[in-house]
């Protein structure tokens, strides 16, 4: 089955969608696991980009 998943952040008590993804999974549990991995990867990339920007500003 294919699931549509929104990756959100919460800011000022409001949810903002960062990315919408289509995830193919056997069930909802597998989909949640894949979505969490995607969100973790996005968070890691964001942290790396912030470090790169800080280094460039120095």
């Amino acid at each position: 089955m294919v699931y549509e998943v929104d990756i959100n952040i919460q800011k000022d008590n409001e949810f903002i969608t960062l990315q919408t993804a289509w995830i193919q999974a056997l069930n909802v549990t597998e989909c949640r696991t894949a979505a969490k991995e995607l969100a973790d990867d996005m968070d890691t990339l964001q942290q790396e980009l912030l470090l790169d920007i800080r280094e460039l500003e120095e």
Side-chain angles (χ1 to χ4, degrees), residues 25-40:
L26 295 175
N27 54 47
V28 172
T29 301
E30 187 177 275
C31 177
R32 286 181 181 156
T33 300
K36 183 178 180 337
E37 289 173 4
L38 177 61
D40 289 345

